[in-house]
């Protein structure tokens, strides 16, 4: 137990110290936390055997044993993102967010599918058709955690930022649907079954049930949280109740259940996001509570990114085939996100800045994609799918936050560094609009 506490404190201190170095070279704090985790991981300090004294992580299994912290952090992140789905925001940007969220995801999947299927026909020994189709669907997923941390650190605000937070939340649901369809087809191709439609329908039913039940559970939790908040007047007690409900929804989202032949579960991100959405729309003091909660969970968020950095598996860099497929995957996923956001933004009459910069801010990829890759492990070359996704996560998590910061700065929604601090809200110098 003492080693665990020393390990967590060392990880938190390392992340904070690295953030000071990152600030000196104008990198987002998220990147510094990931780098701190990488240095504490099994490929650097972990090799020195210091993990026996609570310093660093000796194995990837040791990092995995702390997965509860990452799950809790994701729950709080999703809960805060739910705050962006206020009725006032949905009235002004809801149609754009839904349209952009769906179209850019579909275009990304189509482009990655096309590139990897062509690679399959050129070199069928490198990648199977089933894996190519599966990777295309995984490419649609976006990581909300890194994006939210960049927005919070630099106090970004404006139409692009608000639309971005909505789109990354919608991405989870869209990604689940695309993955269920693609993975169902991939399974049918692998097994040579002619009932591909029935397999596809079964997988689609399971994921639709998961999405509906997740949103329903989140809505009930948000309503219950608001009803209980009424009985408390102390700010600290109300915040404690909010923390308890986030922990409750994280725990409930881990429950699995059967409906007939379907084995279903909940999406942690959707449950916690819906809890935050319902709560912020019916509680008149939700703004203050969200702000206080965001400050309280800051150490948990730092630990989340340090642990995410420690989980990055550098063994994959020794496999040239993974690197080849990974480069193709990253190049066409990036093209899909950027072009998809541009086309869908133009179709919904978004501003020029949103059309130009939104796609860049959607590049980070992590947890949801890794979960899909784990499910794809049952394919004949499922280990290759996992390694390609791990490689892309390594690249996107280290580069993505910086690109998000640059895009938001170019759009005028982040004021220059050195002119913002913890006591001053961000006021964009050149606000943009959807008109």
């Amino acid at each position: 137990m003492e080693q665990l506490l020393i390990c967590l404190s060392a990880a938190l201190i390392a992340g904070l110290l690295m953030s000071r170095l990152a600030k000196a070279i104008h990198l987002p704090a998220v990147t510094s936390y990931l780098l701190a985790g990488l240095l504490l991981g099994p490929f650097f300090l972990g090799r020195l055997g210091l993990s026996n004294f609570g310093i660093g992580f000796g194995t990837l299994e040791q990092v995995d044993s702390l997965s509860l912290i990452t799950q809790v952090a994701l729950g709080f992140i999703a809960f805060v993102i739910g705050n962006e789905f206020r009725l006032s925001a949905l009235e002004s940007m809801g149609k754009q967010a839904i349209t952009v969220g769906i179209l850019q995801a579909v275009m990304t999947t189509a482009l990655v599918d096309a590139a990897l299927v062509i690679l399959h026909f050129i070199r069928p020994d490198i990648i199977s058709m089933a894996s190519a189709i599966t990777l295309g669907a995984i490419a649609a997923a976006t990581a909300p955690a890194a994006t939210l941390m960049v927005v919070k650190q630099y106090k970004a605000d404006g139409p692009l930022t608000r639309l971005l937070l909505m789109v990354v939340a919608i991405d989870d649901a869209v990604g689940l649907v695309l993955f269920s369809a693609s993975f169902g087809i991939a399974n049918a191709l692998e097994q040579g079954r002619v009932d591909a439609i029935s397999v596809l329908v079964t997988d689609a039913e399971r994921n639709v049930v998961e999405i509906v039940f997740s949103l329903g559970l989140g809505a009930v939790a948000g309503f219950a949280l608001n009803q209980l908040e009424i009985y408390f007047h102390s700010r600290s007690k109300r915040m404690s109740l909010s923390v308890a409900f986030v922990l409750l929804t994280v725990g409930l989202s881990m429950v699995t259940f059967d409906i007939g032949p379907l084995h279903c579960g909940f999406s942690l991100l959707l449950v916690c996001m819906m809890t935050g959405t319902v709560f912020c729309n019916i509680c008149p003091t939700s703004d203050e509570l969200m702000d206080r909660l965001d400050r309280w969970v800051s150490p948990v968020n730092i630990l989340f990114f340090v642990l995410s950095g420690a989980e990055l598996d550098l063994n994959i860099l020794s496999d040239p085939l993974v690197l080849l497929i990974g480069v193709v995957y990253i190049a066409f996923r990036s093209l899909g996100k950027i072009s998809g956001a541009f086309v869908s933004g133009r179709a919904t009459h978004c501003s020029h800045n949103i059309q130009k910069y939104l796609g860049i801010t959607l590049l980070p990829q992590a947890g949801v994609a890794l979960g899909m890759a784990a499910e794809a492990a049952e394919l004949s070359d499922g280990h290759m799918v996992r390694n390609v996704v791990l490689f892309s996560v390594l690249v996107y998590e280290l580069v993505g936050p910086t690109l998000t910061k640059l895009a938001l700065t170019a759009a005028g929604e982040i004021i220059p560094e050195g002119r913002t601090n913890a006591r001053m809200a961000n006021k964009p110098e050149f606000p943009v609009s959807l008109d």
Side-chain angles (χ1 to χ4, degrees):
M1 179 61 72
E2 63 274 9
Q3 288 184 355
L4 174 62
L5 293 175
I6 294 172
C7 183
L8 292 178
S9 63
L12 187 56
I13 293 170
L16 290 169
L17 291 176
M18 189 66 78
S19 70
R20 299 305 303 169
L21 177 62
K23 185 176 179 61
I25 55 178
H26 306 295
L27 285 178
V30 176
T31 304
S32 68
Y33 302 148
L34 291 165
L35 288 174
L38 196 58
L39 292 175
L40 290 173
F43 299 98
F44 289 94
L45 281 180
R47 289 186 179 275
L48 302 179
L50 297 177
S51 59
N52 295 327
F53 304 100
I55 301 175
F57 305 95
T59 63
L60 291 173
E61 289 72 23
Q62 185 180 353
V63 183
D64 290 338
S65 67
L66 300 173
S67 61
L68 181 63
I69 294 176
T70 63
Q71 295 295 307
V72 170
L74 277 176
F76 280 109
I77 288 167
F79 183 74
V80 172
I81 288 179
N83 188 47
E84 301 300 321
F85 287 86
R86 293 182 178 272
L87 291 178
S88 57
L90 289 174
E91 289 174 359
S92 61
M93 304 178 72
K95 291 181 180 179
Q96 286 93 343
I98 294 172
T99 303
V100 172
I102 294 174
L103 284 183
Q104 57 84 21
V106 172
M107 286 185 64
T108 301
T109 296
L111 278 175
V112 175
D113 272 344
L116 294 180
V117 167
I118 290 173
L119 181 61
H120 162 73
F121 283 118
I122 297 174
R123 291 290 303 274
D125 57 312
I126 292 180
I127 184 171
S128 68
M129 178 68 78
S131 293
I133 293 173
T134 303
L135 280 170
I138 294 175
T142 303
T147 302
L148 180 64
M149 286 291 283
V150 172
V151 169
K152 293 293 184 183
Q153 178 186 354
Y154 295 104
K155 301 177 179 64
D157 189 26
L160 172 59
T161 301
R162 291 191 289 272
L163 183 64
L164 166 63
L165 293 176
M166 289 185 183
V167 170
V168 295
I170 292 170
D171 249 0
D172 189 31
V174 177
L176 280 172
V177 173
L178 290 172
F179 180 75
S180 67
S182 298
F183 191 53
I185 295 173
N187 264 324
L189 289 173
E190 281 253 311
Q191 300 168 20
R193 292 161 64 174
V194 295
D195 58 339
I197 294 180
S198 64
V199 174
L200 177 61
V201 168
T202 300
D203 285 344
E205 286 177 346
R206 183 182 70 249
N207 281 279
V208 168
V209 168
E210 179 175 321
I211 292 171
V212 171
F213 274 65
S214 296
L215 294 177
L217 175 60
V220 171
F223 179 77
L225 172 59
N226 179 64
Q227 293 300 109
L228 288 177
E229 289 275 2
I230 298 172
Y231 297 102
F232 299 93
H233 304 288
S234 165
R235 291 178 178 177
S236 59
K237 289 181 179 179
R238 295 173 68 199
M239 188 189 72
S240 298
L241 183 63
S242 300
V243 171
F245 259 79
V246 174
L247 295 176
L248 175 64
T249 51
V250 170
L252 291 176
S253 68
M254 297 177 181
V255 175
T256 59
F257 55 93
D258 294 314
I259 299 181
L262 301 177
H263 184 69
C264 307
F266 295 100
S267 166
L268 182 150
L269 290 176
L270 288 180
V271 172
C272 295
M273 182 196 72
M274 193 62 178
T275 302
T277 298
V278 172
F279 175 68
C280 76
N281 277 291
I282 60 179
C283 178
T285 59
S286 60
D287 269 335
E288 178 194 358
L289 277 171
M290 286 289 188
D291 183 60
R292 292 170 62 84
L293 182 67
D294 185 53
R295 297 176 187 178
W296 185 86
V297 301
S298 180
V300 180
N301 290 336
I302 294 173
L303 281 175
F304 168 77
F305 287 104
V306 173
L307 292 175
S308 296
E311 281 182 321
L312 296 177
D313 188 352
L314 299 187
N315 286 322
I316 58 174
L317 299 179
S318 63
D319 190 340
L321 292 182
V322 169
L323 295 180
L324 171 63
I325 299 171
V327 168
V328 174
Y329 174 88
I330 290 172
F332 281 88
R333 179 181 180 271
S334 301
L335 177 63
K337 287 292 181 184
I338 294 171
S339 62
F342 176 81
V343 171
S344 56
R346 191 162 189 168
T348 53
H349 308 292
C350 292
S351 70
H352 174 71
N353 275 348
I354 290 178
Q355 296 175 33
K356 185 176 180 180
Y357 297 115
L358 179 62
I360 299 174
T361 63
L362 294 174
L363 292 180
Q365 186 174 47
V368 176
L370 290 173
M372 293 176 179
E375 190 172 341
E378 64 186 68
L379 296 175
S380 60
D381 54 351
H383 66 286
M384 187 276 300
V385 173
R386 176 182 175 275
N387 287 339
V388 169
V389 174
L390 280 171
F391 175 63
S392 74
V393 167
L394 174 65
V395 174
Y396 281 127
E397 285 295 270
L398 294 177
V399 178
T402 300
L403 293 177
T404 299
K405 174 202 168 187
L406 292 175
L408 292 174
T409 302
E413 300 193 7
I414 291 179
I415 58 179
E417 287 187 82
R419 297 177 56 193
T420 182
N421 57 59
R423 297 178 180 84
M424 183 179 72
N426 182 27
K427 299 292 185 183
E429 293 183 353
F430 304 104
V432 293
S433 66
L434 288 171
D435 299 329

